[in-house]
């Protein structure tokens, strides 16, 4: 392991992984930032237009390190080509969560979409966490932006 590698505990909940029918999450290239999560339904499932379903992944992880988290992100091809995105847009997995990873998928298109058993439906990335402490103050130090809101820095 290099200094950037981290060990995450993974529990296999779906026997089809143990039988070798599907590979466990892995980095698909040397420079991939995330691993893919698979749909581990009992059978192919149709996501109706403009509806959301919860997809089991067949695995659980335990990060165990309070300075790490995992994020679940959509796969760009599913979103662009088929309108399939995450129902919560981005998922966050805390270091102490140990249950099955479930992915809410939203079909934002007007066409039904079939998810086949074992399809790669989302991706998971591990990120460092900064655990902040809060210092209560009466006033902030002034900045050029101050309380100017959305769009105040322009778009060009």
């Amino acid at each position: 392991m290099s200094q950037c590698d981290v060990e995450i505990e993974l529990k296999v909940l779906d026997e089809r992984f143990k039988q070798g029918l599907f590979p466990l999450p892995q980095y698909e290239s040397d420079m991939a930032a995330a691993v893919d999560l698979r749909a581990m339904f009992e059978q192919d499932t149709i996501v109706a237009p403009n509806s959301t379903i919860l997809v089991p992944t067949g695995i659980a992880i335990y990060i165990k390190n309070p300075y790490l988290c995992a994020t679940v992100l959509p796969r760009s091809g599913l979103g662009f080509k088929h309108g399939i995105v995450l129902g919560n847009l981005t998922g966050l997995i805390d270091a102490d969560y140990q249950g099955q990873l479930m992915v809410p998928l939203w079909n934002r298109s007007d066409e039904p979409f079939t998810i086949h058993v074992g399809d790669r439906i989302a991706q998971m990335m591990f990120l460092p966490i900064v655990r902040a402490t809060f210092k209560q103050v009466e006033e902030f130090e002034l900045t050029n932006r101050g309380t100017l809101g959305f769009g105040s820095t322009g778009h060009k």
Side-chain angles (χ1 to χ4, degrees):
M1 282 198 294
S2 76
Q3 69 184 41
C4 292
D5 289 340
V6 176
E7 190 171 81
I8 303 294
E9 292 183 14
L10 182 136
K11 186 189 297 184
V12 175
L13 304 174
D14 191 302
E15 289 297 317
R16 293 171 289 185
F17 285 119
K18 292 178 182 177
Q19 296 164 356
L21 298 175
F22 301 101
L24 288 170
Q26 61 189 359
Y27 294 94
E28 298 293 336
S29 74
D30 290 341
M31 293 192 200
V35 298
D36 290 323
L37 297 174
R38 295 181 181 276
M40 298 308 291
F41 290 119
E42 290 301 315
Q43 60 192 26
D44 295 351
T45 302
I46 295 174
V47 187
N50 301 303
S51 68
T52 303
I53 63 168
L54 199 55
V55 181
T57 64
I59 61 168
I61 61 170
Y62 179 31
I63 298 172
K64 199 191 283 189
N65 181 337
Y67 297 100
L68 291 175
C69 73
T71 57
V72 178
L73 305 164
R75 296 194 72 225
S76 55
L78 286 177
F80 179 71
K81 295 176 184 175
H82 305 287
I84 303 298
V85 295
L86 297 185
N88 58 343
L89 304 183
T90 302
L92 175 67
I93 303 167
D94 293 315
D96 55 351
Y97 180 69
Q98 297 179 341
Q100 179 170 202
L101 300 181
M102 303 291 284
V103 178
L105 286 186
W106 170 32
N107 181 353
R108 61 186 174 129
S109 79
D110 295 327
E111 300 292 325
F113 183 79
T114 302
I115 299 173
H116 301 283
V117 175
D119 278 355
R120 296 179 295 158
I121 45 96
Q123 51 191 334
M124 179 172 60
M125 180 190 311
F126 295 93
L127 298 170
I129 298 296
V130 174
R131 296 182 60 90
T133 58
F134 293 94
K135 175 184 167 186
Q136 188 172 349
V137 299
E138 294 297 322
E139 296 293 330
F140 295 127
E141 177 183 325
L142 293 178
T143 65
N144 288 337
R145 184 172 184 182
T147 59
L148 299 176
F150 296 112
S152 64
T153 61
H155 66 276
K156 290 189 180 201

